[in-house]
């Protein structure tokens, strides 16, 4: 039974990748929560500041302005607004109120801290006109674009409050006040701090709590990847082992029997009577057929026997395939990345099989005179290409869909490539057959380096199965490529 030596431990790349994704998503969530907090805090702070300004503006209108406005104030008699003027200007000293006005329903400024505006008439907005005769209040961030706001434009952002009221004699008026926006910014900063503490703090706490779970899940994923990689490596090695066993069976069983039958036929010819010409002819044909079959089985045996990649290495094995192709009249150029010397047995098996199957495809279908064999390490992948100058693929789309092993459909004759593609896709790679630039075909096999956890280490399969041979001892046959059909 063939033995597979323990592989080196898997690097923790899968775990690092999973944790990196977890941290990146956590950071993205923190950014989203932070942006959402900022976007949410501004309108909430504005709503709170406007609500506070509306309450204070309405209270000022009802508690101070309404009792102090009468017929004399409305008529503009001298000295009638003394008390009103004193109280309202005193209220402005703390800086929370920037400007104030009292409006009549005609749009006339009855009183203002800006004395130049008193007595002037300005058009009123519909929402302000609706306040006359009611106790309603409206508040908004003022744009200061109206004519009566000329004096306020240098005060920066202000909160504009309109409060409907009735004076001491029941005449409807509107009291307008402009409040500084400092409370808005203070509320915004306070909300940002509280929401950030609640949102970001909760998210960070949640991330800390689920981090052990993320690490545990990453380890499970890593173990799953390790098991999958191990099974794939065993499958590759098992395939080579089966090839060796089949070659052993052919050599020690059927091939030996055919050789014995051939000798027996030779002896039978000498035992036939001289006048048995017909029998001699039949026996001669049988003997020649047995010899042809024996040669065919011997050729098949050496064809399926895998190269000893564990001992000889990848480069000599590929050079051996190239030499066999050259002996058949094909010009072969080999270009192997020196870094592939560090590849472990699983990767070497994939590269070798890709080159071997590519050469077989060239011999059988390409009608080519030259072929280029390349294997390069590109980033985190190994890319193997077999390019020829032949007739190119029959199907412009590349490798046709797989069909049965018999028949003459478009997929017939590419069973080896289909099997190789299935293996490569199981490893996380892909196989593509397409037309080469300038003519011919190019077979490209891409395999991720990560599947072979022995990229730096070593692994090997024992050379022979531990069972007795029915024939005499023999030297291991070399895998070779031969033209078919």
């Amino acid at each position: 039974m063939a033995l597979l030596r323990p592989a080196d431990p898997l690097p923790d790349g899968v775990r690092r990748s999973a944790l990196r994704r977890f941290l990146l998503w956590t950071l993205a969530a923190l950014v989203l929560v932070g942006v959402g907090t900022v976007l949410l805090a501004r309108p909430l702070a504005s709503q709170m500041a406007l609500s506070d300004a509306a309450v204070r503006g309405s209270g000022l209108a009802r508690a101070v302005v309404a009792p102090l406005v009468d017929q004399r104030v409305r008529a503009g008699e001298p000295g009638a607004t003394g008390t009103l003027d004193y109280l309202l200007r005193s209220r402005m000293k703390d800086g929370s109120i920037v400007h104030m006005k009292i409006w009549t329903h005609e749009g006339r400024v009855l009183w203002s801290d800006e004395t130049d505006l008193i007595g002037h008439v300005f058009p009123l907005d519909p929402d302000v006109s609706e306040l006359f005769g009611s106790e309603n209040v409206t508040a908004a961030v003022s744009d200061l674009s109206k004519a009566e706001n000329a004096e306020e434009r240098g005060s920066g952002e202000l909160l504009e409050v309109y409060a409907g009221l009735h004076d001491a004699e029941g005449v409807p008026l509107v009291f307008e006040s402009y409040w500084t926006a400092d409370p808005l910014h203070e509320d915004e900063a306070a909300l940002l701090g509280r929401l950030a503490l609640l949102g970001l703090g909760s998210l960070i706490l949640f991330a800390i709590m689920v981090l052990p779970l993320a690490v545990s899940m990453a380890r499970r994923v890593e173990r799953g990847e390790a098991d999958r990689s191990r099974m794939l490596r065993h499958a590759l090695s098992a395939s080579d082992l089966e090839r060796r066993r089949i070659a052993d069976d052919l050599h020690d069983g059927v091939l030996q029997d055919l050789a014995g039958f051939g000798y027996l036929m030779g002896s039978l010819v000498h035992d036939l009577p001289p006048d048995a010409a017909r029998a001699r002819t039949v026996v001669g044909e049988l003997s020649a057929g047995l010899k042809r079959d024996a040669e065919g089985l011997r050729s098949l045996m050496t064809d399926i026997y895998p190269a000893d990649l564990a001992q000889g290495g990848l480069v000599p094995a590929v050079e051996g395939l190239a030499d066999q192709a050259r002996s058949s009249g094909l010009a072969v150029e080999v270009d192997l990345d020196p870094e592939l010397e560090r590849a472990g047995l699983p990767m070497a098996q994939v590269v070798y099989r890709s080159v071997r199957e590519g050469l077989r495809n060239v011999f059988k279908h390409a009608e080519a005179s030259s072929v280029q064999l390349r294997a390069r390490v590109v980033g985190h992948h190994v890319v193997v290409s077999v390019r020829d100058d032949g007739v190119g693929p029959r199907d412009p789309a590349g490798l046709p869909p797989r069909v049965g092993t018999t028949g003459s459909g478009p997929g017939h004759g590419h069973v080896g490539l289909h099997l190789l593609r299935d293996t490569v896709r199981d490893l996380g790679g892909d196989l593509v057959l397409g037309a080469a630039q300038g003519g011919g075909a190019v077979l490209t096999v891409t395999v991720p380096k990560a599947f072979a956890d022995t990229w730096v280490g070593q692994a090997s399969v024992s050379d022979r199965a531990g069972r007795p041979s029915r024939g005499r001892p023999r030297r291991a046959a070399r895998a070779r490529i031969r033209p078919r059909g």
Side-chain angles (χ1 to χ4, degrees):
M1 179 178 178
L3 300 176
L4 182 65
R5 295 195 313 196
D8 295 341
L10 269 175
D12 57 348
V14 175
R15 189 186 315 168
R16 286 199 303 268
S17 176
L19 291 178
R20 189 182 303 114
R21 288 196 299 269
F22 173 79
L23 293 176
L24 286 177
W25 279 110
T26 301
L27 180 60
L30 289 173
V31 172
L32 288 176
V33 171
V35 172
T37 299
V38 173
L39 296 178
L40 181 63
R42 176 68 182 182
L44 285 178
S46 178
Q47 182 179 357
M48 292 175 59
L50 290 174
S51 177
D52 182 64
V55 170
R56 289 190 284 178
S58 176
L60 185 61
R62 291 173 177 79
V64 177
V65 177
L68 297 178
V69 177
D70 54 16
Q71 173 60 35
R72 296 175 60 249
V73 174
R74 293 196 303 272
E77 294 181 7
T81 61
T83 303
L84 177 65
D85 189 82
Y86 172 78
L87 291 177
L88 293 181
R89 290 186 183 276
S90 297
R91 182 62 183 82
M92 294 175 59
K93 288 181 180 180
D94 64 356
S96 60
I97 302 178
V98 179
H99 295 291
M100 291 184 287
K101 300 183 186 72
I102 301 175
W103 297 85
T104 66
H105 69 279
E106 298 92 356
R108 180 170 61 89
V109 179
L110 184 61
W111 179 90
S112 173
D113 64 292
E114 302 165 313
T115 56
D116 294 342
L117 297 178
I118 297 176
H120 289 273
V121 177
F122 299 96
L124 296 174
D125 291 337
D127 57 336
V128 176
S129 299
E130 292 175 357
L131 295 176
F132 287 97
S134 71
E135 302 290 329
N136 296 332
V137 181
T138 63
V141 178
S142 178
D143 59 7
L144 304 177
S145 60
K146 292 177 285 187
E148 71 270 16
N149 299 128
E151 298 294 331
E152 290 92 349
R153 291 169 189 164
S155 303
E157 189 176 36
L158 297 175
L159 305 181
E160 186 178 37
V161 179
Y162 290 91
L165 61 100
H166 294 83
D167 66 9
E169 298 173 352
V171 177
L173 300 172
V174 169
F175 175 67
E176 178 185 10
S177 57
Y178 290 89
W179 301 73
T180 179
D182 291 342
L184 185 150
H185 301 302
E186 293 172 0
D187 291 341
E188 183 178 2
L191 278 174
L192 278 175
R194 293 170 185 171
L195 291 177
L197 180 61
L198 179 62
L200 298 180
S202 300
L203 186 58
I204 292 174
L205 181 60
F206 176 76
I208 293 175
M209 292 178 63
V210 301
L211 182 60
L213 178 61
V215 173
S216 175
M217 294 182 65
R219 287 175 177 169
R220 290 187 181 183
V221 171
E222 185 180 50
R223 285 195 294 269
E225 289 292 329
D227 292 341
R228 179 175 178 272
S229 178
R230 191 175 299 111
M231 287 188 292
L232 289 172
R233 292 196 316 274
H234 276 284
L236 291 172
S237 298
S239 176
D240 281 353
L241 176 60
E242 287 304 311
R243 285 173 174 268
R244 288 189 176 92
R245 286 178 175 173
I246 293 173
D248 284 344
D249 289 339
L250 289 176
H251 180 271
D252 299 335
V254 178
L255 191 59
Q256 298 294 336
D257 293 341
L258 289 177
F261 290 148
Y263 289 126
L264 184 61
M265 288 295 179
S267 300
L268 182 62
V269 171
H270 295 293
D271 295 337
L272 291 174
D275 57 345
R278 176 62 181 168
R280 289 176 180 275
T281 302
V282 172
V283 171
E285 292 177 353
L286 289 174
S287 179
L290 286 174
K291 185 177 296 185
R292 286 195 304 270
D293 290 341
E295 289 297 327
L297 284 176
R298 186 175 288 106
S299 176
L300 177 62
M301 178 192 68
T302 57
D303 192 31
I304 67 174
Y305 196 89
D308 191 0
L309 297 173
Q311 298 297 329
L314 174 64
V315 175
V318 174
E319 288 290 352
L321 293 177
D323 290 340
Q324 295 168 24
R326 294 186 184 105
S327 66
S328 301
L330 194 63
V332 182
E333 176 186 342
V334 179
D335 180 15
L336 299 180
D337 195 325
E339 191 175 349
L340 289 173
E341 291 288 352
R342 300 172 51 226
L345 180 60
M347 183 61 72
Q349 289 172 328
V350 175
V351 173
Y352 179 80
R353 290 183 182 186
S354 301
V355 172
R356 183 179 62 189
E357 197 59 46
L359 283 174
R360 283 178 178 171
N361 189 68
V362 170
F363 275 120
K364 190 171 184 179
H365 303 286
E367 302 178 13
S369 60
S370 66
V371 63
Q372 297 174 340
L373 308 178
R374 286 188 170 85
R376 314 295 297 176
V377 177
V378 181
H380 297 289
H381 293 80
V382 173
V383 180
V384 182
S385 65
V386 179
R387 177 174 178 172
D388 62 72
D389 61 351
V391 297
R394 288 180 295 176
D395 193 334
L399 187 62
R402 179 166 52 185
V403 296
T405 57
T406 61
S408 58
H412 178 65
H414 291 282
V415 177
L417 290 182
H418 282 292
L419 292 175
L420 178 60
R421 183 172 63 179
D422 292 343
T423 300
V424 169
R425 287 182 174 176
D426 286 340
L427 300 177
D430 199 7
L431 179 149
V432 178
L433 175 65
Q437 203 170 27
V442 57
L443 175 71
T444 304
V445 177
T446 304
V447 184
K449 285 198 310 184
F451 101 89
D453 60 1
T454 55
W455 182 254
V456 182
Q458 295 288 333
S460 64
V461 178
S462 62
D463 184 59
R464 287 292 305 271
R467 59 183 178 87
S469 173
R470 290 181 294 171
R472 58 185 176 83
R474 61 178 177 83
R475 297 176 60 188
R478 289 180 60 192
R480 69 184 185 91
I481 301 294
R482 62 187 179 86
R484 292 181 181 174

